[in-house]
Amino acid sequence: LQTKVETQKAFDSDEEFLRIADIKVSIHYDCQAQQERIFEMIHRTNQLNFTKYREEKQPVLEMLEDPGYTCAYISCVDKFCDYGIVGFLAIDNVRHQFKHFLFSCRTIGMGVEQFIYAHFNFPELTVVGEVVTELNKQDKPEWIQLVEIGDRKREFSVETPKGKFLLKGPCDVSQIIPYF
């Protein structure tokens, strides 16, 4: 992440930087496998939680099984980091309306939420409270690619004056790199 911040300083605009960041998102429909993370995100996200619909675990589990809803979680990587699971959505198929539309603050400024909104053809969305990003019904950020992302683990290599460390793990492992 430190490399990302340093690299971003070399660009005149955020969009210029985002174009070289090689942002890739993946949409996963097997929500049962990630139900704990989904439930956590429903209750913990704020800055990019557009619906802010907090509900108990049982109704969430029932919704994940309900064919009347399209439910998916979103993962994201770029050339700097594997951000892991960063979003969740639940669309009422009859109304073409979001019940849940939320993203981790890890993706602020990347355009992931706008990309996903456009990908699902701009379902009706009632924004509750304040969010740090405004969505629109025209744009689909072209600097983001939709891909299938396989293994969630990545390797990070860090060189220091005293030696070399190899850290293996998900994106959050990269947060301890500055301590080395």
Side-chain angles (χ1 to χ4, degrees):
L1 292 177
Q2 185 177 359
T3 302
K4 180 179 179 176
V5 170
E6 291 300 318
T7 304
Q8 190 170 9
K9 290 178 185 176
F11 290 87
D12 293 331
S13 74
D14 289 338
E15 189 172 321
E16 241 183 284
F17 169 73
L18 292 170
R19 289 184 186 285
I20 66 95
D22 195 25
I23 301 168
K24 296 179 173 108
V25 297
S26 184
I27 300 169
H28 308 268
Y29 296 95
D30 59 334
C31 292
Q32 287 295 341
Q34 297 297 332
Q35 62 183 325
E36 291 301 320
R37 173 69 175 137
I38 290 167
F39 188 70
E40 174 188 49
M41 289 179 64
I42 287 171
H43 285 274
R44 292 185 64 195
T45 58
N46 290 307
Q47 295 174 304
L48 287 176
N49 187 334
F50 294 87
T51 51
K52 293 184 183 67
Y53 185 59
R54 320 280 188 191
E55 58 186 330
E56 296 303 316
K57 194 171 201 171
Q58 192 56 40
V60 172
L61 296 176
E62 290 170 8
M63 179 188 61
L64 296 179
E65 293 292 320
D66 187 339
Y69 286 92
T70 297
C71 297
Y73 67 90
I74 313 303
S75 56
C76 180
V77 298
D78 65 17
K79 72 187 221 177
F80 303 101
C81 186
D82 180 338
Y83 299 92
I85 297 172
V86 297
F88 173 69
L89 61 89
I91 301 172
D92 180 322
N93 294 329
V94 173
R95 296 184 181 107
H96 193 59
Q97 179 180 24
F98 282 113
K99 180 174 183 178
H100 292 283
F101 191 63
L102 52 102
F103 294 85
S104 167
C105 62
R106 289 179 265 178
T107 63
I108 288 177
M110 295 171 68
V112 173
E113 63 283 352
Q114 181 66 46
F115 181 87
I116 296 298
Y117 186 46
H119 177 78
F120 283 94
N121 199 23
F122 310 105
E124 187 172 329
L125 175 63
T126 302
V127 177
V128 176
E130 292 184 23
V131 288
V132 297
T133 302
E134 276 192 45
L135 299 175
N136 66 64
K137 291 189 174 191
Q138 295 86 30
D139 298 325
K140 186 172 187 180
E142 66 225 31
W143 56 83
I144 298 176
Q145 297 175 44
L146 182 62
V147 299
E148 286 189 35
I149 299 174
D151 186 10
R152 301 260 15 107
K153 297 190 186 283
R154 289 192 54 186
E155 296 181 0
F156 298 93
S157 182
V158 180
E159 287 194 43
T160 69
K162 296 182 181 178
K164 198 173 192 179
F165 295 91
L166 176 65
L167 305 172
K168 287 183 147 187
C171 178
D172 53 353
V173 169
S174 67
Q175 295 175 1
I176 66 170
I177 288 174
Y179 295 104
F180 287 97

